[in-house]
Amino acid sequence: ATIAQRVSDNLLKLTGRQPYFVKMELHRSKLDMNREICEAAQSDQVAKDAWNGYIGKASEFSDEVNEEWGRGVFVDFHGMKEKGEVQLGYGLTNDELKNNADLGSVVDSGTLFVRSLVDNGADTEDLIRGPHSLGTLLTSAYPATETCPSEQVKSSDKDKYWSGGYLSQRYGSKDGGTI
């Protein structure tokens, strides 16, 4: 199973609730979901249909989360060329993560894809690199593949760090909203 599926399964075990889960079956070389449709599908009708289906389902789930709970968290898992590290994109650059200061003192919540959580009282450092952060929990559960950022891995040492893309921008709370 993929990391995303294992996380979903473990959230079900921990909470008794099935997380909303949308999985793209096309390889990223055929359709890059982290782009607007024109760039993502490259004029291919099958890819356009898949993109519209995925976005439609993610939008439906986002609406249901807002209606049911008033807020939530969106997580985008996808493969990347560089192996050996899971990278969580919160809208932060790797240079910001390399800063040893508490993230809450150096980062404006308005730049974060999880802005709603910070604006509602979550501590930025705890949320992103604290002992109960997603990255810390993933690194603890799957130590063979470290997760960045986390308590264990504050910033990436890889050539490329992905701070988040189109899907996080669209469904996260950086530009407003509650997810």
Side-chain angles (χ1 to χ4, degrees):
T2 65
I3 290 174
Q5 186 63 58
R6 287 185 279 176
V7 168
S8 178
D9 293 346
N10 283 320
L11 283 171
L12 174 60
K13 286 179 192 172
L14 287 170
T15 66
R17 293 179 178 229
Q18 180 66 53
Y20 290 93
F21 189 86
V22 183
K23 182 178 180 183
M24 175 50 61
E25 296 290 348
L26 288 177
H27 189 274
R28 194 162 187 186
S29 64
K30 302 291 183 194
L31 175 64
D32 184 351
M33 286 307 304
N34 239 347
R35 305 277 183 264
E36 292 274 1
I37 190 170
C38 57
E39 186 179 353
Q42 298 293 314
S43 301
D44 181 274
Q45 191 57 51
V46 171
K48 285 181 183 179
D49 292 345
W51 190 94
N52 283 320
Y54 184 99
I55 293 296
K57 186 53 78 173
S59 295
E60 176 187 326
F61 287 166
S62 177
D63 291 345
E64 286 181 24
V65 167
N66 275 316
E67 188 174 307
E68 178 86 17
W69 292 285
R71 62 183 170 183
V73 176
F74 175 82
V75 181
D76 171 27
F77 287 93
H78 56 83
M80 49 191 248
K81 289 180 182 176
E82 192 150 8
K83 304 287 185 211
E85 178 178 84
V86 172
Q87 296 180 350
L88 301 176
Y90 292 98
L92 295 168
T93 66
N94 202 35
D95 286 341
E96 288 171 314
L97 293 173
K98 286 179 181 178
N99 185 329
N100 286 326
D102 179 278
L103 289 173
S105 67
V106 295
V107 174
D108 174 15
S109 70
T111 66
L112 300 173
F113 296 134
V114 291
R115 184 184 95 193
S116 178
L117 294 173
V118 175
D119 289 352
N120 282 293
D123 179 83
T124 305
E125 181 70 23
D126 284 345
L127 179 68
I128 294 173
R129 298 190 295 208
H132 302 291
S133 68
L134 179 59
T136 299
L137 297 174
L138 285 172
T139 299
S140 296
Y142 310 107
T145 305
E146 293 179 325
T147 300
C148 167
S150 64
E151 191 173 53
Q152 303 93 326
V153 183
K154 302 283 188 195
S155 62
S156 180
D157 63 357
K158 303 296 181 193
D159 290 337
K160 187 79 173 161
Y161 173 75
W162 301 96
S163 62
Y166 173 77
L167 293 170
S168 297
Q169 180 78 34
R170 181 174 179 140
Y171 294 106
S173 58
K174 178 181 176 189
D175 295 325
T178 58
I179 294 184

